[in-house]
Amino acid sequence: MKDNISKSIRSNFQVSYQYDVFFTKHLFSFDNLILKEFFHSQTEYQFNKKVLVVIDQGFLNHQPNLIESIHQYFASKIEAVQLVEEFIVLPGGEVSKNQIEDWEMVVSAINKYGIDRHSYIMVIGGGAILDMVGYAASVSHRGIRLIRIPTTVLSQNDSGVGVKNSINYYGKKNFLGTFAPPVAVFNDSSFLVSLEDRDWRSGMAEAIKVSLIKDKDFFNWIELNVSKLTKRELDAMEYLVFECARLHMDHIKNGDPFEFGSSRPLDFGHWFAHKLEYVSNFSIRHGEAVAIGMALDSIYSFLSGNLKEPELNRILKLLKGLGFTLNHPMLQLNGKTQLAIALQEFQEHLGGKLTLLMLDGIGIPKEIYTIDHSLLETAFEQLVRHN
Amino acid sequence: MKDNISKSIRSNFQVSYQYDVFFTKHLFSFDNLILKEFFHSQTEYQFNKKVLVVIDQGFLNHQPNLIESIHQYFASKIEAVQLVEEFIVLPGGEVSKNQIEDWEMVVSAINKYGIDRHSYIMVIGGGAILDMVGYAASVSHRGIRLIRIPTTVLSQNDSGVGVKNSINYYGKKNFLGTFAPPVAVFNDSSFLVSLEDRDWRSGMAEAIKVSLIKDKDFFNWIELNVSKLTKRELDAMEYLVFECARLHMDHIKNGDPFEFGSSRPLDFGHWFAHKLEYVSNFSIRHGEAVAIGMALDSIYSFLSGNLKEPELNRILKLLKGLGFTLNHPMLQLNGKTQLAIALQEFQEHLGGKLTLLMLDGIGIPKEIYTIDHSLLETAFEQLVRHN
């Protein structure tokens, strides 16, 4: 080759992903065949496939018979795969994403039980443990098949049906992670019955978010069903979870699933919410923080001449009707300072170019690239006068 | 929802990948504009993009002016991105994949210097450090853009142009890793001049492999150029690297890039090679082990009535002509036992179903699913009589 004369070869290819999210009830009861059918549809019989189960301790406390039920279900229904006898039980909640030891326990079990690329990890729990175990699965042997069984409203309608997983590192949320779709998700509505009220409620924030930026009909439906939802009627929650999951999945598959670009239009209400969670040391639930973030962004959307006042009032009324507190005590301390810092950090997170999603109306999103700081402070002042 | 009546939503989507592998010489000399042009083609100016450089200490020892050259090149040629002042220098070779501390140093630098998803890691070195740094990049912020600058024959023609990265864990090769294509690869042939003879030679094993299973013309060319290649003529090596990289990239893009299926037809000669590397505690180079593995599989292909004797002889003659030792002292110790263990482990690695690639002729692969153990032992006995 002559100096400085260069050749090149281009590689370009596409990778296809497919997974089903099942909505069911009593997943491990003997007359529910959905899990059995899933494994039989997956199987190439030549392989010795195994299933390693990881369970959220917090969930297990409410379901003392869960481990026994799973053993019995596999023993009587499933020939195609071999259940690993020992289950891994780990604490759930955000703490599970902070502790590298928990991640290490999952990777170590993958090694100990010889879980290979044809085998499965089945994780049962809330969004945090799904994220953590998903990350362990996705990097072990460059990717073990992941089955998610989300047990909270938030994980059933949002994080658990998506393609991301992660842990926190260096005190930074989701610093390590991958984009790695599961092979299947099983949303069992009966698991939602044992949730605390706070978790039942806070999971609905993502449904409101997705309705606000994507689907006015869904927003109308939530408004009409506030009473059923606050009374914890399961049929109403099943509809809410299904619609929210559907809209979330549509967004992923029709957008930029692995986020190679810079736009992240599912982040409505989230830039301030992330900060609130951190400042409160996660005593505020994600959904509670998102409700506050959405209220703030909706007020800003109104003040900047986009969202109309009657629509703003409907949004704030819905959030309060479902029981969200918009004027959190955290905001009284040094809220405006936190607001400025949150905006700065979010801009850095996006690589220096600010993109925020605001509303032109219910169901009508509007991307903005600059923000009027004094208007934002006014919005904040109006926010803290609520409730 | 009625008990046991289930609904489901299917998610299916495709993710597109594209990257260029550039073949050049004197990448950082002022009259070589290829790197400058790459960065300018990539840039959206709104983002504050950074480049963090990681260099293989072993390579740097041969190129004492490298760091200064890179600084000068970026200072005078590249406005679109900001070079991080401090370079990370780490030991290369297999050791870099065994030490989680080295991986941690890269992740920690990503954190320290605020390298985000719009920024780059540029790694310069042999295949092992490319694998390790690639893994760190692929999981930090769920994926930072990776630029590979391979400095060995093996990494320029094989691992460095592909889509895999990994580290070893629990003493197991590539236990942790991801499929994550780079954004670009720069193969600089001038970097090959300082290689030790062993590394110059062993990198050619993958070229022979890919010629045997994919391209008889390429095999013929290597045969005709044995003398130039052993005399270290750079033009001949440039052709070998280019053709091998091209065939390897074709295989990835036209096959199953992220290996969701079970077939791995680039593994010819590798099942026994992996074992040899481990048993020798990596004193045997990868290519040296692959040469032995290919000789064994070629003899087996002949004994089982597929490969013709004249073609077998051409293969063995080529390997010996390039300087490979087929009868390694390791084989004399307990070679047949290692052979049986290697086969067993490879079958487990594949999830229980054995698939081996053998030859029907030069350039004509043949998959087999069972092996005749006594014939394999005979092949082994013939192998150890060589050289």
Side-chain angles (χ1 to χ4, degrees):
Chain A
M1 199 182 300
K2 295 275 196 315
D3 276 26
N4 313 324
I5 303 295
S6 304
K7 296 194 284 186
S8 69
I9 304 173
R10 174 158 294 180
S11 189
N12 46 25
F13 55 85
Q14 294 194 309
V15 178
S16 297
Y17 294 92
Q18 178 175 304
Y19 61 96
D20 290 320
V21 176
F22 298 95
F23 298 81
T24 188
K25 208 170 185 176
H26 304 301
L27 180 63
F28 299 113
S29 81
F30 274 24
D31 52 354
N32 190 329
L33 302 182
I34 192 165
L35 193 61
K36 172 192 168 83
E37 283 159 10
F38 167 76
F39 278 115
H40 284 260
S41 76
Q42 282 266 306
T43 299
E44 311 102 4
Y45 276 93
Q46 304 92 327
F47 293 108
N48 305 318
K49 294 182 173 204
K50 298 173 192 167
V51 182
L52 175 69
V53 180
V54 184
I55 308 183
D56 187 325
Q57 177 72 65
F59 179 64
L60 192 59
N61 293 343
H62 292 288
Q63 310 269 340
N65 300 322
L66 182 65
I67 291 178
E68 184 57 25
S69 305
I70 295 173
H71 274 291
Q72 286 177 358
Y73 188 92
F74 273 79
S76 76
K77 297 286 175 198
I78 299 181
E79 294 152 24
V81 292
Q82 177 198 338
L83 187 67
V84 172
E85 188 72 18
E86 189 199 339
F87 287 15
I88 313 297
V89 179
L90 292 170
E94 195 67 20
V95 63
S96 73
K97 294 179 66 171
N98 290 331
Q99 292 182 183
I100 195 79
E101 300 85 353
D102 289 356
W103 177 86
E104 178 87 34
M105 272 194 65
V106 178
V107 175
S108 159
I110 289 167
N111 181 43
K112 178 177 174 189
Y113 295 111
I115 307 300
D116 62 26
R117 286 171 57 76
H118 300 288
S119 293
Y120 301 83
I121 295 207
M122 191 164 93
V123 53
I124 305 172
I129 202 167
L130 299 185
D131 276 2
M132 182 275 278
V133 173
Y135 176 50
S138 76
V139 297
S140 296
H141 299 300
R142 298 198 185 96
I144 286 164
R145 298 174 185 192
L146 178 71
I147 295 169
R148 295 200 197 112
I149 304 184
T151 59
T152 61
V153 175
L154 183 61
S155 55
Q156 289 195 1
N157 71 14
D158 188 84
S159 63
V161 303
V163 300
K164 297 197 227 180
N165 52 59
S166 59
I167 58 172
N168 307 329
Y169 210 56
Y170 302 127
K172 291 188 179 169
K173 194 163 170 74
N174 302 330
F175 189 87
L176 295 176
T178 53
F179 291 92
V183 295
V185 180
F186 295 89
N187 277 341
D188 183 335
S189 63
S190 72
F191 290 163
L192 305 179
V193 173
S194 63
L195 288 176
E196 285 178 37
D197 277 343
R198 270 186 85 181
D199 292 312
W200 173 279
R201 180 190 307 114
S202 82
M204 294 190 284
E206 297 293 342
I208 297 167
K209 178 199 74 178
V210 83
S211 78
L212 283 172
I213 61 180
K214 291 200 175 270
D215 191 333
K216 186 168 184 169
D217 288 344
F218 185 33
F219 184 88
N220 295 340
W221 180 91
I222 303 174
E223 246 182 353
L224 284 172
N225 287 275
V226 166
S227 161
K228 287 184 182 175
L229 291 165
T230 53
K231 280 189 239 153
R232 299 193 61 154
E233 291 187 15
L234 201 55
D235 283 1
M237 183 55 93
E238 283 168 359
Y239 182 85
L240 179 139
V241 165
F242 184 87
E243 280 299 297
C244 182
R246 184 181 66 74
L247 289 163
H248 190 80
M249 290 168 71
D250 268 359
H251 177 80
I252 292 170
K253 84 183 210 194
N254 298 320
D256 174 16
F258 291 180
E259 298 178 11
F260 295 138
S262 56
S263 175
R264 305 179 55 195
L266 278 184
D267 271 351
F268 176 68
H270 276 60
W271 65 274
F272 189 44
H274 286 314
K275 191 73 203 169
L276 280 176
E277 284 180 87
Y278 257 88
V279 170
S280 78
N281 202 22
F282 295 94
S283 67
I284 297 186
R285 296 281 202 282
H286 180 67
E288 293 167 349
V290 169
I292 295 168
M294 290 192 293
L296 178 70
D297 285 354
S298 298
I299 297 170
Y300 183 89
S301 296
F302 161 67
L303 292 175
S304 59
N306 295 295
L307 189 68
K308 299 288 175 292
E309 188 159 19
E311 294 200 309
L312 170 64
N313 290 337
R314 284 176 65 191
I315 296 168
L316 298 174
K317 187 180 168 202
L318 175 61
L319 290 169
K320 292 192 275 189
L322 288 171
F324 288 107
T325 304
L326 303 186
N327 172 21
H328 194 279
M330 296 295 311
L331 303 181
Q332 305 293 354
L333 293 173
N334 53 355
K336 282 192 188 174
T337 310
Q338 293 303 338
L339 195 69
I341 296 172
L343 201 61
Q344 176 68 23
E345 286 182 355
F346 189 69
Q347 181 159 356
E348 282 171 17
H349 177 73
L350 294 177
K353 184 192 166 206
L354 187 67
T355 305
L356 288 174
L357 206 67
M358 295 292 174
L359 298 179
D360 241 4
I362 291 172
I364 309 167
K366 180 188 174 73
E367 277 198 358
I368 65 167
Y369 311 102
T370 54
I371 201 155
D372 178 332
H373 290 268
S374 99
L375 209 58
L376 184 63
E377 293 205 355
T378 308
F380 182 81
E381 286 158 12
Q382 295 195 9
L383 172 70
V384 298
R385 287 203 295 271
H386 276 275
N387 290 71
Chain B
M1 199 182 301
K2 294 275 196 318
D3 275 26
N4 313 327
I5 303 295
S6 303
K7 297 193 283 186
S8 70
I9 304 173
R10 174 157 293 181
S11 189
N12 46 24
F13 56 84
Q14 294 193 309
V15 177
S16 297
Y17 293 92
Q18 178 176 305
Y19 61 96
D20 290 321
V21 176
F22 298 95
F23 298 82
T24 189
K25 208 171 185 174
H26 305 302
L27 180 63
F28 298 113
S29 82
F30 274 24
D31 52 355
N32 190 328
L33 302 182
I34 192 167
L35 193 61
K36 172 193 167 85
E37 283 161 9
F38 166 75
F39 279 115
H40 283 260
S41 75
Q42 283 267 306
T43 299
E44 311 102 4
Y45 276 94
Q46 304 93 326
F47 293 108
N48 305 317
K49 295 182 175 205
K50 298 174 192 168
V51 182
L52 175 68
V53 179
V54 184
I55 307 183
D56 187 325
Q57 177 72 65
F59 179 66
L60 192 59
N61 293 343
H62 293 288
Q63 309 270 340
N65 300 321
L66 182 65
I67 290 178
E68 186 57 24
S69 304
I70 295 173
H71 273 292
Q72 286 177 359
Y73 188 92
F74 273 79
S76 77
K77 296 286 175 200
I78 299 181
E79 294 153 23
V81 292
Q82 177 198 338
L83 187 66
V84 173
E85 188 72 18
E86 189 198 340
F87 287 13
I88 313 296
V89 179
L90 292 170
E94 195 68 20
V95 63
S96 71
K97 293 178 68 171
N98 290 330
Q99 292 181 182
I100 195 79
E101 300 83 353
D102 289 358
W103 177 87
E104 177 86 34
M105 271 194 66
V106 179
V107 175
S108 156
I110 289 166
N111 181 42
K112 178 176 172 190
Y113 295 111
I115 306 301
D116 62 27
R117 288 172 55 79
H118 301 286
S119 292
Y120 300 83
I121 294 207
M122 191 165 93
V123 54
I124 306 172
I129 203 168
L130 299 185
D131 276 1
M132 181 276 279
V133 174
Y135 176 50
S138 76
V139 296
S140 297
H141 297 301
R142 298 199 186 94
I144 285 163
R145 299 173 184 193
L146 178 71
I147 295 169
R148 296 200 196 111
I149 303 183
T151 59
T152 62
V153 175
L154 183 61
S155 55
Q156 289 194 2
N157 70 15
D158 189 85
S159 63
V161 304
V163 299
K164 297 196 228 180
N165 52 59
S166 59
I167 60 173
N168 307 329
Y169 210 58
Y170 302 126
K172 294 191 178 167
K173 194 162 169 75
N174 302 332
F175 189 86
L176 294 177
T178 52
F179 292 92
V183 296
V185 180
F186 296 89
N187 277 340
D188 184 334
S189 64
S190 73
F191 290 163
L192 306 179
V193 173
S194 63
L195 287 177
E196 285 178 37
D197 277 343
R198 271 185 85 180
D199 293 313
W200 174 277
R201 180 189 308 114
S202 81
M204 293 189 285
E206 297 292 342
I208 296 167
K209 178 199 75 179
V210 82
S211 77
L212 283 172
I213 59 179
K214 292 197 174 273
D215 191 334
K216 185 168 186 170
D217 288 345
F218 185 33
F219 184 88
N220 295 341
W221 180 90
I222 303 174
E223 247 182 350
L224 283 172
N225 287 275
V226 165
S227 162
K228 288 184 181 173
L229 290 165
T230 54
K231 280 190 239 151
R232 300 193 62 154
E233 290 188 14
L234 201 55
D235 283 0
M237 183 55 93
E238 283 168 359
Y239 183 84
L240 179 138
V241 166
F242 184 87
E243 280 299 296
C244 182
R246 183 182 66 75
L247 288 163
H248 190 80
M249 289 168 71
D250 267 359
H251 176 81
I252 293 169
K253 84 183 206 192
N254 298 321
D256 174 17
F258 290 0
E259 298 178 11
F260 295 137
S262 56
S263 174
R264 305 178 55 196
L266 278 183
D267 271 351
F268 176 69
H270 277 60
W271 65 273
F272 189 45
H274 286 314
K275 190 76 202 168
L276 281 175
E277 284 180 89
Y278 257 88
V279 168
S280 78
N281 202 21
F282 295 93
S283 68
I284 299 184
R285 296 279 203 282
H286 179 68
E288 294 167 350
V290 169
I292 295 168
M294 290 192 294
L296 178 70
D297 286 353
S298 298
I299 296 170
Y300 183 88
S301 297
F302 161 66
L303 293 176
S304 60
N306 295 295
L307 190 66
K308 300 285 175 293
E309 188 160 22
E311 294 200 309
L312 170 63
N313 291 336
R314 285 175 66 191
I315 295 168
L316 298 174
K317 187 179 169 205
L318 177 60
L319 290 169
K320 291 192 276 189
L322 288 171
F324 288 108
T325 304
L326 302 186
N327 173 20
H328 194 278
M330 295 294 314
L331 303 181
Q332 306 292 355
L333 292 173
N334 54 355
K336 281 193 190 172
T337 310
Q338 293 304 338
L339 196 68
I341 296 172
L343 200 61
Q344 175 69 22
E345 286 182 355
F346 189 70
Q347 182 160 354
E348 281 171 17
H349 176 73
L350 293 179
K353 185 192 165 204
L354 187 67
T355 305
L356 287 175
L357 205 69
M358 295 292 174
L359 297 179
D360 240 5
I362 291 171
I364 308 168
K366 180 187 173 73
E367 278 198 358
I368 65 167
Y369 310 102
T370 54
I371 200 153
D372 178 332
H373 289 269
S374 99
L375 209 58
L376 184 63
E377 292 204 357
T378 309
F380 183 82
E381 286 158 11
Q382 295 196 11
L383 172 70
V384 297
R385 287 203 294 273
H386 276 275
N387 291 72

